[in-house]
Amino acid sequence: MTTIVAFGNPVYDEIITPVVRTDGRVLSGCSTNACLALSRLGRTTALVGRVGPDYADRFQSDLVRYGITPFVTLSGQTGGFKLVYDARGDRTLDVLGVAEPIQIVPDVVETAAAVIVGPILQETPLDLIRTIRDRTSAPIFLDPQGLLRRFGADGRIEHFLPAEFAAIAPLCHVIKANEVETKVITGIDPRIDPVMAARRLHETGCAIAIVTIAEAGSHIDDGKRSISVPAYATEARDPTGAGDTYMAGFLHAYLTDPDDLFRAGCTGAATASIWIEYTGPDAPITLQEVERRVKVLLQQ
């Protein structure tokens, strides 16, 4: 089976929400979470990233246990955040560690079914994405969260729009951004005008733009169609990784039927809804349960 290859450093995070607190640090990361969800949907996945010696053995063991092929090189330290959510779902990110930028593009990318670029904090620079684009004709699915983060004056993570984003966007087939990231990129608040926000994101140069808006659902724009996708109503114990696993579900469905963007969006929403009901990498995502939730969304 052809592999989906994801580029992005894994992290081990500490997560605190109004209803749950992790016991120490747990495996996470944009590309990592996408691989975890895709593997449970029956896809073959590989993860390219960097991890420090402090978590290297644990990480290798984790990926073997979850059925993900690692292409991981050593870094000075392992990336990670302390994430604290308030009752509204807003969060602060304090940095626990930062791994260096990714420097390898393994040969498996040349036969990939799709590529995910999902950085955590500036580890997938423009030159790396250009190399990926040169090495494969597969569609690139970008989650820009880590491209838009930097250290603020208080040492916490703040958002900004890097100049190189204008060159990165046209290299990507799909860009999926949450409401904060969309506003940073487009200047439009998607809670006020999701249609225009998705259109402006599409105009950065990708073929398909996706804007996720938490419980308000998501919006997809391919330059021809403007598609509103409902969220699957559930109780969110931990929203960490919701967008990552939405991307996984969308990608899974898109590879099956690239013309049915509404179903792909519903598959993304269904997959994410399972993930946020749990904390950490062991959410019991199954294709059967995802399809059951997709049917509910299709009837709305």
Side-chain angles (χ1 to χ4, degrees):
M1 184 179 293
T2 308
T3 301
I4 297 169
V5 184
F7 290 79
N9 287 337
V11 292
Y12 281 85
D13 289 339
E14 180 182 354
I15 303 169
I16 302 171
T17 81
V19 296
V20 69
R21 180 172 188 153
T22 58
D23 182 13
R25 292 169 66 176
V26 296
L27 178 65
S28 189
C30 179
S31 289
T32 302
N33 293 335
C35 285
L36 288 165
L38 282 162
S39 294
R40 289 167 198 165
L41 294 174
R43 298 286 180 176
T44 301
T45 61
L47 178 63
V48 186
R50 302 187 71 175
V51 67
D54 50 346
Y55 280 88
D57 290 343
R58 176 178 169 182
F59 177 71
Q60 292 285 346
S61 175
D62 281 344
L63 259 64
V64 169
R65 179 158 59 95
Y66 293 123
I68 301 168
T69 301
F71 290 91
V72 176
T73 54
L74 278 178
S75 175
Q77 59 182 206
T78 301
F81 301 102
K82 179 179 180 180
L83 300 93
V84 180
Y85 291 87
D86 63 20
R88 294 178 61 249
D90 296 329
R91 69 185 184 185
T92 59
L93 281 77
D94 292 318
V95 177
L96 301 177
V98 180
E100 285 89 4
I102 297 168
Q103 296 177 324
I104 65 167
V105 178
D107 291 343
V108 67
V109 79
E110 296 175 1
T111 56
V115 173
I116 296 171
V117 176
I120 289 298
L121 186 59
Q122 300 295 334
E123 74 267 29
T124 58
L126 174 58
D127 286 348
L128 177 76
I129 299 173
R130 280 176 170 160
T131 300
I132 296 169
R133 179 73 287 160
D134 289 343
R135 295 277 302 277
T136 183
S137 60
I140 295 175
F141 290 70
L142 173 67
D143 187 319
Q145 59 182 270
L147 299 176
L148 309 180
R149 291 173 176 165
R150 65 184 176 191
F151 291 108
D154 59 359
R156 286 185 166 172
I157 293 297
E158 66 178 19
H159 291 88
F160 79 113
L161 183 62
E164 67 178 16
F165 185 82
I168 290 173
L171 302 176
C172 303
H173 188 68
V174 175
I175 298 177
K176 181 213 67 69
N178 69 17
E179 57 198 273
V180 173
E181 295 149 6
T182 299
K183 189 172 182 180
V184 170
I185 295 168
T186 69
I188 299 172
D189 186 341
R191 285 191 175 272
I192 296 174
D193 192 344
V195 173
M196 186 56 66
R199 177 56 51 89
R200 289 286 182 265
L201 185 60
H202 176 266
E203 289 173 355
T204 64
C206 59
I208 300 170
I210 306 170
V211 175
T212 59
I213 322 172
E215 76 286 349
S218 57
H219 211 85
I220 303 171
D221 192 297
D222 67 352
K224 300 176 183 177
R225 294 168 289 178
S226 182
I227 302 169
S228 179
V229 179
Y232 185 89
T234 189
E235 182 180 353
R237 288 176 55 83
D238 178 10
T240 309
D244 312 334
T245 51
Y246 179 106
M247 175 77 92
F250 181 93
L251 195 163
H252 170 75
Y254 181 83
L255 290 179
T256 301
D257 184 355
D259 293 322
D260 195 343
L261 295 182
F262 182 66
R263 174 177 281 274
C266 289
T267 307
T271 305
S273 73
I274 301 171
W275 185 267
I276 64 176
E277 292 170 353
Y278 300 85
T279 294
D282 294 309
I285 294 170
T286 66
L287 185 57
Q288 181 180 17
E289 178 58 17
V290 168
E291 286 298 332
R292 186 192 71 79
R293 297 187 186 203
V294 168
K295 289 180 181 178
V296 173
L297 293 173
L298 291 175
Q299 294 170 359
Q300 292 186 15

